[in-house]
Amino acid sequence: MAKKRMEQIKTALPGIAAISIALILLMACMTLAPRNAPAKVRPLHIVMTEWAPYTSSYIPDKGALAEMTEIAFKLQGYEVRFSIVPWQRALDMMERQEADALLAVYTSKRNESRYYLSDPLLAVDSVFVRLKDMEIPYRKLDDLTAWRIGVAKDTSYAATLKKQGPFIVEEAPHELLNYRKLVTGRIELMLDTRETIERMMDNMPESERQPIVYMEPPYHTKTLHLAFHPTDEGKMLNRQFNAGLQKVRDKGVHAAILEKHHIARSTGKARSRLD
């Protein structure tokens, strides 16, 4: 019965954009909710940053990853609240234990050493982007050492690139400023996730859009995770969340959320191309 209901929801999604998908998907999954939900005296506090379309205060249900995180926890009997702050502040809040979890972090040795990482929420491509009329040969990473690369501040891109070679890396507060530097010739490349760049272009006035190219292969493909404190409580919350996330996947809710937020469901294949 629940499966049939989910198929009906998927079919109806284009016509119900104004309705919160979280409520509808939760109704379809309530048969999976635990009968003896854990008692919580307060909602779980999850801290995140502006990173559309994954987490954001400006898009429905606070972004794709926030939406699936909230549903997964609700299926386990937990309420959650989100705070959206600059990335460095989010890290500091976790360090001071002012939040129960951090959304979202890449899998890495460093993150694995300082957090309990959830099961993967999503695999994302980070790609180099150039203007369509700017020919830049690219078969391997070393081909790009002569070009100026714009990255968003407080991401791992700058530090990682500098470890990999003599790259010319310039940081900017956000991807839109990098795009404007690209258009005016102050940089030749920008690096970000495929969906982040696409969403930026979608929200930009037509007069500002210039044809761009997503360069293949991607710089890297990594999975995104919810990060918990390396404590007994963090381990327990991670276990609870993973159980809820599996239900979200099993019922097709994960795929429906990605569809709603126009996110690629297979690594390396963008939902839409702007080149």
Side-chain angles (χ1 to χ4, degrees), residues 94-113:
M94 282 295 285
E95 182 70 23
R96 296 192 297 265
Q97 299 203 9
E98 295 173 358
D100 296 295
L102 172 65
L103 183 68
V105 302
Y106 284 118
T107 181
S108 68
K109 290 183 178 179
R110 184 185 181 194
N111 285 333
E112 289 170 354
S113 68

Side-chain angles (χ1 to χ4, degrees), residues 134-153:
M134 180 72 176
E135 292 294 334
I136 298 178
Y138 174 52
R139 292 187 178 179
K140 59 185 186 303
L141 192 58
D142 288 348
D143 294 337
L144 305 181
T145 54
W147 307 100
R148 294 168 294 181
I149 304 170
V151 301
K153 187 179 179 182

Side-chain angles (χ1 to χ4, degrees), residues 127-128 148-159 161-162 168-175 177-179 181 187 189-192 219:
V127 292
F128 293 103
R148 294 168 294 181
I149 304 170
V151 301
K153 187 179 179 182
D154 293 332
T155 64
S156 61
Y157 294 133
L161 280 169
K162 288 175 182 177
I168 307 168
V169 182
E170 297 188 14
E171 296 183 84
H174 49 76
E175 64 275 5
L177 183 55
N178 274 325
Y179 173 78
K181 291 170 67 176
I187 58 175
L189 297 165
M190 60 181 291
L191 174 62
D192 215 313
Y219 172 55

